[in-house]
Amino acid sequence: LKVPSSFAHRVASCAPPPVLPHRPPQLEAMKLQKRLAAEIKKCGRGRIWLDPNESNEISMANSRFNIRKLIKDGLIIRKAVKMHSRSRVRKNLEAKRKGRHTGIGKRRGTKEARLPSKVIWMRRQRVLRRLLRKYRQQKKIDKHLYHFFYRHAKGNMYKNKRVLVEAIHKMKAEQVKAKTLLEQSE
C-alpha cells in the first residue's frame, strides 16, 4: 500500500508537543498558603514571601489560623513596597536651576508658550505701578505726577524700575528748576 506523500508529511508534522517543565510540587502546594497569607496581610500575592527553608512546615498549614501563626513566627512575611526614588529627579532639577539642560535641543514649546510676553508685560506693569503707589504714599510725587507717569508706564515708556526712577528724578529736578526761575523772574 502506497501512502501519498502529502499525507506522510502531515503525519510527520503531528509530533507531540514539547514537554514543559512543571513547577515543583512544593510550590504548587504553597499556592493556597500564599493566597491565604495575601488575604490576611491585605496585599497582593507577589508581596508575600514564604521561607524556602521551612517549606514543609508552611505546606502543612491549610487554614487562616495556621497561616497567622506562621506570620507571627516570621516564616511568612509581607515584603516592603518597592521604592521609587526621586533622588535623580531632584539632582536634575537642581542642575536646571543653575541653567543646565535648557538649551535649544531641550525646548519643546515656542518662546511665547514657555514664557508669554503678556506675563512679562504684566509683571513689569505691576512693578512700576507698585513703585508709583509707594512714591505717592510717601509724598515723593503728587497725584498729577503720579497720573503722568502711570499713563506713560502703560504706554511702554519705561522698560524697568530704574528707568522710571530716573525719569521721576529728572521731572522733579525740572519742576524745581522751573520754580526757581519763576521766583527769580518775579
Side-chain angles (χ1 to χ4, degrees):
L1 188 89
K2 194 172 180 186
V3 179
S5 61
S6 62
F7 181 73
H9 170 72
R10 248 186 282 157
V11 170
S13 68
C14 290
V19 179
L20 295 171
H22 280 292
R23 281 175 152 196
Q26 213 103 46
L27 282 177
E28 276 301 322
M30 303 271 234
K31 257 175 99 172
L32 167 74
Q33 285 79 353
K34 203 160 217 188
R35 179 176 65 78
L36 291 175
E39 284 180 26
I40 290 166
K41 294 298 280 179
K42 294 189 171 62
C43 66
R45 289 173 218 174
R47 274 183 68 194
I48 295 296
W49 177 84
L50 307 172
D51 193 341
N53 303 324
E54 303 290 343
S55 52
N56 289 329
E57 198 176 330
I58 292 171
S59 58
M60 295 291 284
N62 61 357
S63 68
R64 287 166 199 271
F65 178 79
N66 292 349
I67 296 288
R68 280 198 192 92
K69 189 171 177 296
L70 293 175
I71 289 169
K72 195 177 165 196
D73 296 346
L75 304 184
I76 298 176
I77 297 171
R78 175 171 63 180
K79 286 190 271 189
V81 177
K82 284 197 175 71
M83 201 171 81
H84 187 169
S85 171
R86 278 189 59 83
S87 63
R88 283 185 301 279
V89 177
R90 276 196 291 272
K91 194 173 129 224
N92 203 12
L93 286 173
E94 192 63 42
K96 270 191 176 171
R97 278 188 214 112
K98 290 179 180 173
R100 318 286 188 266
H101 320 295
T102 53
I104 291 168
K106 289 283 183 185
R107 299 178 197 171
R108 295 299 296 272
T110 60
K111 189 178 177 184
E112 188 68 16
R114 285 163 66 84
L115 183 57
S117 55
K118 182 174 180 179
V119 169
I120 295 169
W121 168 261
M122 278 157 47
R123 281 181 192 164
R124 197 168 90 201
Q125 287 302 303
R126 283 170 186 172
V127 166
L128 298 178
R129 287 173 184 180
R130 201 177 302 130
L131 180 87
L132 287 172
R133 274 203 305 276
K134 195 173 90 175
Y135 273 26
R136 185 179 61 178
Q137 214 170 0
Q138 292 172 352
K139 303 282 192 286
K140 287 188 181 177
I141 54 175
D142 61 351
K143 65 177 185 179
H144 303 292
L145 269 182
Y146 169 84
H147 187 68
F148 174 84
F149 286 115
Y150 188 98
R151 301 309 293 174
H152 278 63
K154 188 179 180 178
N156 201 16
M157 283 284 287
Y158 317 113
K159 70 171 185 176
N160 55 38
K161 204 154 90 168
R162 182 180 54 79
V163 175
L164 176 61
V165 170
E166 282 172 11
I168 291 171
H169 289 321
K170 196 175 169 191
M171 177 74 88
K172 281 175 77 177
E174 281 174 13
Q175 279 188 348
V176 169
K177 199 175 175 186
K179 200 175 179 184
T180 51
L181 280 171
L182 203 129
E183 282 172 4
Q184 282 172 7
S185 65
E186 285 174 0

